[in-house]
Amino acid sequence: MIDFEELDDVIEERALEEQRAIRLSQTPKVLARLTDVVKLLHIAPGYSVMAYFSPTLESSPLCTVSGGRSMLVAEILEHGWLRLAGDEVWAANILPEHLKNVGCKEPPVFVFAASADALLEDAEKQLDRWPFFESMHRAESNGAPWQKLMHGLKPQPAAQLPWLSSWHTPDGDLKLAPPLQHQLPQGKMQLPRLRIALLVRGADPQALQSFILYHFAAGFERVDIFFDRPHEDGEESAIAAVGCFAHPYPLGPDGLVCAAKAVCCTPEWWQAARKNSRFYRRQGDIYEETVRLDSKIQDVQARQSIVVEWALAEAQSDGVDWLLHIDSDELLFVPDATRHG
């Protein structure tokens, strides 16, 4: 008899082991960004350790570190004392505000682990258990630049993590695209002209800039972004973010000149678009259904159809070969042999 429950457990365990092996293969990349790391301290759930500025119980405790987590250790001292790695002090945001100074080395911080159920292991073999490993692993794997900020590496709202975008500095400022790793075919081959059109509402300005620059790097010479509700709160900054690329600039492969266009879909614009739309001018089930969804329900997909039709007419007039329509949270992934294998 086959015990299928036991078999499922074995399969799940092996899958987890394979996933962990893949994660650990990225350890050298993360360790290269860390300094002074020797061991990983595991604190059992239900226990805690105290952090101090000096390895003596007579000094005032700095903070309490709860159990159920792991910490980077730089040095093992006598009598149960451990010196935390500077990157642990930073990432865990241990220091009080008045001692934080970007660019300066963190002061020594010690923990007394003799009274806690703790275990020391090699950092290289167990680094994926460090709570901040995943953030650094993703940043390194995607080539996203980042630097130490005073608030440490604790989970932050998306708006406070601009370093997750390759196109923004950790302070949130826009920067030019990084150097491309691929080359276009040589010779007189005429490459197709590419354009993107999309309808947005409530999109994050930095996300739109990342969207634009990513597709510039992929070879799209223009990105047309239609703002469904341009007068709503927050849309002004998003429109301005797209407007940064209104002037053509060589941001694409081999100096391809690219630009982005922000189209404000005002009531007047929608009136003109509907007047010229084939959906409103032709007969047939598909056209009538789109008109019904647009006029009666204000369906998003129906509005997108009208927008894309408008953009398609412009693209044809400008001699564009291909028009891509995707959402602002999507992208066309073009693998690069150098970066993606």
Side-chain angles (χ1 to χ4, degrees), residues 228-229 265-282 290-291 293-299 302-303 306-307 309-310:
D228 194 3
R229 298 288 192 273
C265 299
T266 61
E268 294 76 18
W269 186 91
W270 280 113
Q271 183 179 3
R274 292 181 177 113
K275 181 179 179 181
N276 294 297
S277 172
R278 60 178 173 170
F279 294 104
Y280 277 82
R281 299 175 64 179
R282 296 183 181 180
T290 300
V291 170
L293 292 172
D294 173 47
S295 60
K296 303 296 184 182
I297 306 177
Q298 295 188 333
D299 178 70
R303 296 164 77 86
I306 295 172
V307 162
E309 185 184 27
W310 179 286

mmCIF file of all heavy atoms in Angstrom, residues 228-229 265-282 290-291 293-299 302-303 306-307 309-310:
data_model
loop_
_atom_site.group_PDB
_atom_site.id
_atom_site.type_symbol
_atom_site.label_atom_id
_atom_site.label_comp_id
_atom_site.label_asym_id
_atom_site.label_seq_id
_atom_site.Cartn_x
_atom_site.Cartn_y
_atom_site.Cartn_z
ATOM 1 N N ASP A 228 -7.246 58.642 -17.859
ATOM 2 C CA ASP A 228 -8.700 58.495 -17.907
ATOM 3 C C ASP A 228 -9.413 59.603 -17.131
ATOM 4 O O ASP A 228 -10.447 60.101 -17.552
ATOM 5 C CB ASP A 228 -9.073 57.120 -17.351
ATOM 6 C CG ASP A 228 -10.508 56.744 -17.679
ATOM 7 O OD1 ASP A 228 -11.183 57.531 -18.375
ATOM 8 O OD2 ASP A 228 -10.951 55.662 -17.264
ATOM 9 N N ARG A 229 -8.868 59.970 -15.973
ATOM 10 C CA ARG A 229 -9.474 61.011 -15.127
ATOM 11 C C ARG A 229 -8.388 62.043 -14.758
ATOM 12 O O ARG A 229 -7.912 62.073 -13.629
ATOM 13 C CB ARG A 229 -10.063 60.384 -13.860
ATOM 14 C CG ARG A 229 -11.183 59.395 -14.092
ATOM 15 C CD ARG A 229 -12.475 60.100 -14.531
ATOM 16 N NE ARG A 229 -13.618 59.199 -14.485
ATOM 17 C CZ ARG A 229 -13.991 58.395 -15.447
ATOM 18 N NH1 ARG A 229 -13.274 58.368 -16.567
ATOM 19 N NH2 ARG A 229 -15.047 57.615 -15.334
ATOM 20 N N CYS A 265 -7.497 62.771 -21.040
ATOM 21 C CA CYS A 265 -8.794 62.398 -21.606
ATOM 22 C C CYS A 265 -9.905 63.196 -20.909
ATOM 23 O O CYS A 265 -10.628 62.678 -20.044
ATOM 24 C CB CYS A 265 -9.025 60.896 -21.469
ATOM 25 S SG CYS A 265 -7.796 59.894 -22.327
ATOM 26 N N THR A 266 -10.011 64.443 -21.296
ATOM 27 C CA THR A 266 -11.047 65.330 -20.770
ATOM 28 C C THR A 266 -12.395 64.960 -21.391
ATOM 29 O O THR A 266 -12.450 64.194 -22.364
ATOM 30 C CB THR A 266 -10.702 66.781 -21.100
ATOM 31 O OG1 THR A 266 -10.651 66.915 -22.535
ATOM 32 C CG2 THR A 266 -9.341 67.173 -20.516
ATOM 33 N N PRO A 267 -13.501 65.497 -20.854
ATOM 34 C CA PRO A 267 -14.798 65.226 -21.489
ATOM 35 C C PRO A 267 -14.807 65.615 -22.962
ATOM 36 O O PRO A 267 -15.429 64.922 -23.776
ATOM 37 C CB PRO A 267 -15.765 66.096 -20.669
ATOM 38 C CG PRO A 267 -15.132 66.176 -19.316
ATOM 39 C CD PRO A 267 -13.657 66.224 -19.577
ATOM 40 N N GLU A 268 -14.102 66.692 -23.309
ATOM 41 C CA GLU A 268 -14.030 67.115 -24.709
ATOM 42 C C GLU A 268 -13.272 66.087 -25.548
ATOM 43 O O GLU A 268 -13.640 65.807 -26.697
ATOM 44 C CB GLU A 268 -13.363 68.491 -24.815
ATOM 45 C CG GLU A 268 -14.147 69.638 -24.200
ATOM 46 C CD GLU A 268 -14.079 69.661 -22.683
ATOM 47 O OE1 GLU A 268 -13.157 69.013 -22.119
ATOM 48 O OE2 GLU A 268 -14.933 70.323 -22.056
ATOM 49 N N TRP A 269 -12.197 65.540 -24.955
ATOM 50 C CA TRP A 269 -11.420 64.537 -25.683
ATOM 51 C C TRP A 269 -12.267 63.296 -25.927
ATOM 52 O O TRP A 269 -12.265 62.745 -27.035
ATOM 53 C CB TRP A 269 -10.164 64.161 -24.892
ATOM 54 C CG TRP A 269 -9.259 63.239 -25.648
ATOM 55 C CD1 TRP A 269 -8.231 63.572 -26.459
ATOM 56 C CD2 TRP A 269 -9.367 61.799 -25.686
ATOM 57 N NE1 TRP A 269 -7.661 62.438 -27.016
ATOM 58 C CE2 TRP A 269 -8.336 61.332 -26.554
ATOM 59 C CE3 TRP A 269 -10.202 60.873 -25.093
ATOM 60 C CZ2 TRP A 269 -8.135 59.985 -26.825
ATOM 61 C CZ3 TRP A 269 -10.003 59.517 -25.367
ATOM 62 C CH2 TRP A 269 -8.986 59.084 -26.222
ATOM 63 N N TRP A 270 -12.970 62.832 -24.888
ATOM 64 C CA TRP A 270 -13.804 61.644 -25.045
ATOM 65 C C TRP A 270 -14.900 61.885 -26.085
ATOM 66 O O TRP A 270 -15.231 60.986 -26.874
ATOM 67 C CB TRP A 270 -14.445 61.263 -23.716
ATOM 68 C CG TRP A 270 -13.530 60.519 -22.782
ATOM 69 C CD1 TRP A 270 -13.034 60.947 -21.594
ATOM 70 C CD2 TRP A 270 -13.009 59.202 -22.983
ATOM 71 N NE1 TRP A 270 -12.226 59.991 -21.033
ATOM 72 C CE2 TRP A 270 -12.191 58.902 -21.866
ATOM 73 C CE3 TRP A 270 -13.142 58.251 -23.997
ATOM 74 C CZ2 TRP A 270 -11.523 57.690 -21.742
ATOM 75 C CZ3 TRP A 270 -12.476 57.040 -23.867
ATOM 76 C CH2 TRP A 270 -11.678 56.765 -22.761
ATOM 77 N N GLN A 271 -15.444 63.075 -26.116
ATOM 78 C CA GLN A 271 -16.492 63.383 -27.102
ATOM 79 C C GLN A 271 -15.947 63.265 -28.525
ATOM 80 O O GLN A 271 -16.585 62.654 -29.400
ATOM 81 C CB GLN A 271 -17.032 64.799 -26.861
ATOM 82 C CG GLN A 271 -18.172 65.174 -27.795
ATOM 83 C CD GLN A 271 -18.706 66.574 -27.512
ATOM 84 O OE1 GLN A 271 -18.194 67.282 -26.651
ATOM 85 N NE2 GLN A 271 -19.751 66.968 -28.215
ATOM 86 N N ALA A 272 -14.744 63.804 -28.731
ATOM 87 C CA ALA A 272 -14.134 63.730 -30.061
ATOM 88 C C ALA A 272 -13.745 62.296 -30.414
ATOM 89 O O ALA A 272 -13.910 61.860 -31.565
ATOM 90 C CB ALA A 272 -12.899 64.643 -30.109
ATOM 91 N N ALA A 273 -13.230 61.562 -29.419
ATOM 92 C CA ALA A 273 -12.822 60.184 -29.675
ATOM 93 C C ALA A 273 -14.007 59.310 -30.039
ATOM 94 O O ALA A 273 -13.930 58.472 -30.959
ATOM 95 C CB ALA A 273 -12.109 59.620 -28.441
ATOM 96 N N ARG A 274 -15.122 59.499 -29.353
ATOM 97 C CA ARG A 274 -16.312 58.695 -29.647
ATOM 98 C C ARG A 274 -16.895 59.066 -31.013
ATOM 99 O O ARG A 274 -17.399 58.202 -31.746
ATOM 100 C CB ARG A 274 -17.352 58.876 -28.549
ATOM 101 C CG ARG A 274 -16.928 58.282 -27.201
ATOM 102 C CD ARG A 274 -17.981 58.457 -26.129
ATOM 103 N NE ARG A 274 -17.571 57.827 -24.892
ATOM 104 C CZ ARG A 274 -17.288 58.498 -23.763
ATOM 105 N NH1 ARG A 274 -17.386 59.836 -23.736
ATOM 106 N NH2 ARG A 274 -16.914 57.850 -22.675
ATOM 107 N N LYS A 275 -16.814 60.330 -31.349
ATOM 108 C CA LYS A 275 -17.354 60.788 -32.633
ATOM 109 C C LYS A 275 -16.623 60.128 -33.801
ATOM 110 O O LYS A 275 -17.236 59.807 -34.828
ATOM 111 C CB LYS A 275 -17.237 62.303 -32.723
ATOM 112 C CG LYS A 275 -17.791 62.879 -34.012
ATOM 113 C CD LYS A 275 -17.663 64.388 -34.020
ATOM 114 C CE LYS A 275 -18.207 64.966 -35.331
ATOM 115 N NZ LYS A 275 -18.067 66.449 -35.360
ATOM 116 N N ASN A 276 -15.299 59.925 -33.633
ATOM 117 C CA ASN A 276 -14.490 59.357 -34.707
ATOM 118 C C ASN A 276 -14.282 57.851 -34.577
ATOM 119 O O ASN A 276 -13.632 57.238 -35.424
ATOM 120 C CB ASN A 276 -13.114 60.035 -34.736
ATOM 121 C CG ASN A 276 -13.218 61.497 -35.122
ATOM 122 O OD1 ASN A 276 -13.638 61.834 -36.225
ATOM 123 N ND2 ASN A 276 -12.846 62.378 -34.204
ATOM 124 N N SER A 277 -14.819 57.253 -33.520
ATOM 125 C CA SER A 277 -14.584 55.831 -33.271
ATOM 126 C C SER A 277 -15.421 54.954 -34.190
ATOM 127 O O SER A 277 -16.614 55.204 -34.404
ATOM 128 C CB SER A 277 -14.909 55.504 -31.809
ATOM 129 O OG SER A 277 -14.874 54.113 -31.598
ATOM 130 N N ARG A 278 -14.784 53.907 -34.691
ATOM 131 C CA ARG A 278 -15.513 52.954 -35.531
ATOM 132 C C ARG A 278 -16.579 52.227 -34.728
ATOM 133 O O ARG A 278 -17.583 51.756 -35.271
ATOM 134 C CB ARG A 278 -14.542 51.944 -36.138
ATOM 135 C CG ARG A 278 -13.787 51.139 -35.113
ATOM 136 C CD ARG A 278 -12.874 50.115 -35.734
ATOM 137 N NE ARG A 278 -12.057 49.477 -34.711
ATOM 138 C CZ ARG A 278 -11.298 48.408 -34.940
ATOM 139 N NH1 ARG A 278 -11.267 47.871 -36.140
ATOM 140 N NH2 ARG A 278 -10.569 47.892 -33.971
ATOM 141 N N PHE A 279 -16.380 52.129 -33.412
ATOM 142 C CA PHE A 279 -17.376 51.451 -32.580
ATOM 143 C C PHE A 279 -18.684 52.221 -32.583
ATOM 144 O O PHE A 279 -19.767 51.624 -32.500
ATOM 145 C CB PHE A 279 -16.846 51.308 -31.143
ATOM 146 C CG PHE A 279 -15.664 50.396 -31.026
ATOM 147 C CD1 PHE A 279 -14.391 50.914 -30.859
ATOM 148 C CD2 PHE A 279 -15.812 49.020 -31.106
ATOM 149 C CE1 PHE A 279 -13.292 50.072 -30.752
ATOM 150 C CE2 PHE A 279 -14.720 48.172 -31.009
ATOM 151 C CZ PHE A 279 -13.445 48.707 -30.835
ATOM 152 N N TYR A 280 -18.613 53.533 -32.649
ATOM 153 C CA TYR A 280 -19.818 54.366 -32.656
ATOM 154 C C TYR A 280 -20.341 54.597 -34.075
ATOM 155 O O TYR A 280 -21.505 54.966 -34.251
ATOM 156 C CB TYR A 280 -19.529 55.705 -31.988
ATOM 157 C CG TYR A 280 -19.618 55.659 -30.482
ATOM 158 C CD1 TYR A 280 -18.543 55.202 -29.727
ATOM 159 C CD2 TYR A 280 -20.778 56.046 -29.810
ATOM 160 C CE1 TYR A 280 -18.615 55.148 -28.336
ATOM 161 C CE2 TYR A 280 -20.865 55.989 -28.420
ATOM 162 C CZ TYR A 280 -19.784 55.542 -27.690
ATOM 163 O OH TYR A 280 -19.859 55.483 -26.316
ATOM 164 N N ARG A 281 -19.499 54.383 -35.077
ATOM 165 C CA ARG A 281 -19.886 54.708 -36.441
ATOM 166 C C ARG A 281 -20.326 53.494 -37.242
ATOM 167 O O ARG A 281 -20.928 53.632 -38.304
ATOM 168 C CB ARG A 281 -18.714 55.393 -37.162
ATOM 169 C CG ARG A 281 -18.295 56.704 -36.495
ATOM 170 C CD ARG A 281 -17.061 57.299 -37.141
ATOM 171 N NE ARG A 281 -17.284 57.676 -38.530
ATOM 172 C CZ ARG A 281 -16.363 58.243 -39.304
ATOM 173 N NH1 ARG A 281 -15.154 58.484 -38.815
ATOM 174 N NH2 ARG A 281 -16.641 58.559 -40.545
ATOM 175 N N ARG A 282 -20.030 52.289 -36.761
ATOM 176 C CA ARG A 282 -20.360 51.094 -37.517
ATOM 177 C C ARG A 282 -21.470 50.301 -36.840
ATOM 178 O O ARG A 282 -21.741 50.465 -35.654
ATOM 179 C CB ARG A 282 -19.113 50.207 -37.684
ATOM 180 C CG ARG A 282 -18.015 50.863 -38.513
ATOM 181 C CD ARG A 282 -16.857 49.904 -38.706
ATOM 182 N NE ARG A 282 -15.769 50.496 -39.472
ATOM 183 C CZ ARG A 282 -14.646 49.870 -39.788
ATOM 184 N NH1 ARG A 282 -14.451 48.614 -39.395
ATOM 185 N NH2 ARG A 282 -13.707 50.483 -40.495
ATOM 186 N N THR A 290 -19.696 47.219 -27.469
ATOM 187 C CA THR A 290 -18.672 48.128 -26.930
ATOM 188 C C THR A 290 -19.285 49.483 -26.606
ATOM 189 O O THR A 290 -18.982 50.087 -25.564
ATOM 190 C CB THR A 290 -17.516 48.289 -27.940
ATOM 191 O OG1 THR A 290 -16.929 47.015 -28.186
ATOM 192 C CG2 THR A 290 -16.453 49.234 -27.396
ATOM 193 N N VAL A 291 -20.151 49.969 -27.490
ATOM 194 C CA VAL A 291 -20.829 51.255 -27.248
ATOM 195 C C VAL A 291 -21.705 51.167 -26.005
ATOM 196 O O VAL A 291 -21.733 52.081 -25.169
ATOM 197 C CB VAL A 291 -21.672 51.655 -28.478
ATOM 198 C CG1 VAL A 291 -22.568 52.849 -28.144
ATOM 199 C CG2 VAL A 291 -20.762 51.999 -29.650
ATOM 200 N N LEU A 293 -21.368 49.127 -23.394
ATOM 201 C CA LEU A 293 -20.522 49.045 -22.199
ATOM 202 C C LEU A 293 -19.899 50.389 -21.875
ATOM 203 O O LEU A 293 -19.728 50.745 -20.701
ATOM 204 C CB LEU A 293 -19.422 47.990 -22.413
ATOM 205 C CG LEU A 293 -19.892 46.534 -22.486
ATOM 206 C CD1 LEU A 293 -18.738 45.634 -22.882
ATOM 207 C CD2 LEU A 293 -20.470 46.097 -21.144
ATOM 208 N N ASP A 294 -19.548 51.143 -22.902
ATOM 209 C CA ASP A 294 -18.926 52.448 -22.670
ATOM 210 C C ASP A 294 -19.943 53.477 -22.186
ATOM 211 O O ASP A 294 -19.714 54.172 -21.187
ATOM 212 C CB ASP A 294 -18.268 52.931 -23.962
ATOM 213 C CG ASP A 294 -17.743 54.348 -23.839
ATOM 214 O OD1 ASP A 294 -17.068 54.657 -22.824
ATOM 215 O OD2 ASP A 294 -17.997 55.166 -24.743
ATOM 216 N N SER A 295 -21.057 53.576 -22.852
ATOM 217 C CA SER A 295 -22.028 54.637 -22.552
ATOM 218 C C SER A 295 -22.896 54.343 -21.337
ATOM 219 O O SER A 295 -23.233 55.259 -20.568
ATOM 220 C CB SER A 295 -22.915 54.879 -23.778
ATOM 221 O OG SER A 295 -23.615 53.691 -24.123
ATOM 222 N N LYS A 296 -23.241 53.085 -21.127
ATOM 223 C CA LYS A 296 -24.149 52.737 -20.037
ATOM 224 C C LYS A 296 -23.425 52.362 -18.743
ATOM 225 O O LYS A 296 -23.860 52.722 -17.648
ATOM 226 C CB LYS A 296 -25.049 51.561 -20.461
ATOM 227 C CG LYS A 296 -25.859 51.819 -21.711
ATOM 228 C CD LYS A 296 -26.865 52.947 -21.523
ATOM 229 C CE LYS A 296 -27.729 53.114 -22.772
ATOM 230 N NZ LYS A 296 -28.695 54.236 -22.641
ATOM 231 N N ILE A 297 -22.303 51.636 -18.888
ATOM 232 C CA ILE A 297 -21.624 51.097 -17.704
ATOM 233 C C ILE A 297 -20.287 51.793 -17.439
ATOM 234 O O ILE A 297 -19.743 51.705 -16.348
ATOM 235 C CB ILE A 297 -21.397 49.571 -17.889
ATOM 236 C CG1 ILE A 297 -22.723 48.879 -18.203
ATOM 237 C CG2 ILE A 297 -20.745 48.955 -16.667
ATOM 238 C CD1 ILE A 297 -22.591 47.400 -18.459
ATOM 239 N N GLN A 298 -19.781 52.506 -18.456
ATOM 240 C CA GLN A 298 -18.440 53.103 -18.381
ATOM 241 C C GLN A 298 -17.392 52.016 -18.104
ATOM 242 O O GLN A 298 -16.514 52.165 -17.257
ATOM 243 C CB GLN A 298 -18.373 54.198 -17.313
ATOM 244 C CG GLN A 298 -19.250 55.405 -17.632
ATOM 245 C CD GLN A 298 -19.046 56.560 -16.671
ATOM 246 O OE1 GLN A 298 -18.661 56.358 -15.517
ATOM 247 N NE2 GLN A 298 -19.301 57.759 -17.145
ATOM 248 N N ASP A 299 -17.505 50.940 -18.844
ATOM 249 C CA ASP A 299 -16.616 49.795 -18.700
ATOM 250 C C ASP A 299 -15.191 50.175 -19.086
ATOM 251 O O ASP A 299 -14.958 50.843 -20.102
ATOM 252 C CB ASP A 299 -17.122 48.658 -19.589
ATOM 253 C CG ASP A 299 -16.223 47.441 -19.546
ATOM 254 O OD1 ASP A 299 -16.187 46.775 -18.502
ATOM 255 O OD2 ASP A 299 -15.540 47.194 -20.552
ATOM 256 N N ALA A 302 -13.983 48.772 -22.491
ATOM 257 C CA ALA A 302 -14.581 49.504 -23.609
ATOM 258 C C ALA A 302 -13.854 50.831 -23.826
ATOM 259 O O ALA A 302 -13.582 51.230 -24.965
ATOM 260 C CB ALA A 302 -16.063 49.741 -23.344
ATOM 261 N N ARG A 303 -13.526 51.508 -22.736
ATOM 262 C CA ARG A 303 -12.788 52.768 -22.845
ATOM 263 C C ARG A 303 -11.386 52.522 -23.395
ATOM 264 O O ARG A 303 -10.858 53.314 -24.179
ATOM 265 C CB ARG A 303 -12.729 53.444 -21.467
ATOM 266 C CG ARG A 303 -14.095 53.839 -20.942
ATOM 267 C CD ARG A 303 -14.077 54.134 -19.446
ATOM 268 N NE ARG A 303 -13.519 55.441 -19.148
ATOM 269 C CZ ARG A 303 -14.213 56.566 -19.153
ATOM 270 N NH1 ARG A 303 -15.495 56.544 -19.498
ATOM 271 N NH2 ARG A 303 -13.656 57.714 -18.851
ATOM 272 N N ILE A 306 -11.492 52.228 -27.167
ATOM 273 C CA ILE A 306 -11.588 53.527 -27.851
ATOM 274 C C ILE A 306 -10.236 54.235 -27.838
ATOM 275 O O ILE A 306 -9.812 54.834 -28.837
ATOM 276 C CB ILE A 306 -12.678 54.386 -27.176
ATOM 277 C CG1 ILE A 306 -14.046 53.730 -27.357
ATOM 278 C CG2 ILE A 306 -12.676 55.802 -27.738
ATOM 279 C CD1 ILE A 306 -15.162 54.386 -26.582
ATOM 280 N N VAL A 307 -9.530 54.155 -26.723
ATOM 281 C CA VAL A 307 -8.213 54.778 -26.608
ATOM 282 C C VAL A 307 -7.223 54.138 -27.573
ATOM 283 O O VAL A 307 -6.470 54.831 -28.276
ATOM 284 C CB VAL A 307 -7.706 54.678 -25.152
ATOM 285 C CG1 VAL A 307 -6.195 54.914 -25.086
ATOM 286 C CG2 VAL A 307 -8.430 55.676 -24.269
ATOM 287 N N GLU A 309 -7.843 52.506 -30.257
ATOM 288 C CA GLU A 309 -8.222 52.839 -31.630
ATOM 289 C C GLU A 309 -7.686 54.218 -32.017
ATOM 290 O O GLU A 309 -7.172 54.417 -33.122
ATOM 291 C CB GLU A 309 -9.746 52.800 -31.757
ATOM 292 C CG GLU A 309 -10.237 53.009 -33.177
ATOM 293 C CD GLU A 309 -11.751 53.071 -33.245
ATOM 294 O OE1 GLU A 309 -12.380 53.457 -32.244
ATOM 295 O OE2 GLU A 309 -12.299 52.747 -34.313
ATOM 296 N N TRP A 310 -7.788 55.170 -31.102
ATOM 297 C CA TRP A 310 -7.259 56.511 -31.336
ATOM 298 C C TRP A 310 -5.732 56.447 -31.527
ATOM 299 O O TRP A 310 -5.182 57.047 -32.461
ATOM 300 C CB TRP A 310 -7.610 57.407 -30.153
ATOM 301 C CG TRP A 310 -7.112 58.818 -30.243
ATOM 302 C CD1 TRP A 310 -5.834 59.254 -30.077
ATOM 303 C CD2 TRP A 310 -7.895 59.982 -30.514
ATOM 304 N NE1 TRP A 310 -5.757 60.612 -30.212
ATOM 305 C CE2 TRP A 310 -7.008 61.094 -30.485
ATOM 306 C CE3 TRP A 310 -9.246 60.216 -30.760
ATOM 307 C CZ2 TRP A 310 -7.435 62.404 -30.691
ATOM 308 C CZ3 TRP A 310 -9.674 61.527 -30.973
ATOM 309 C CH2 TRP A 310 -8.782 62.600 -30.938
#
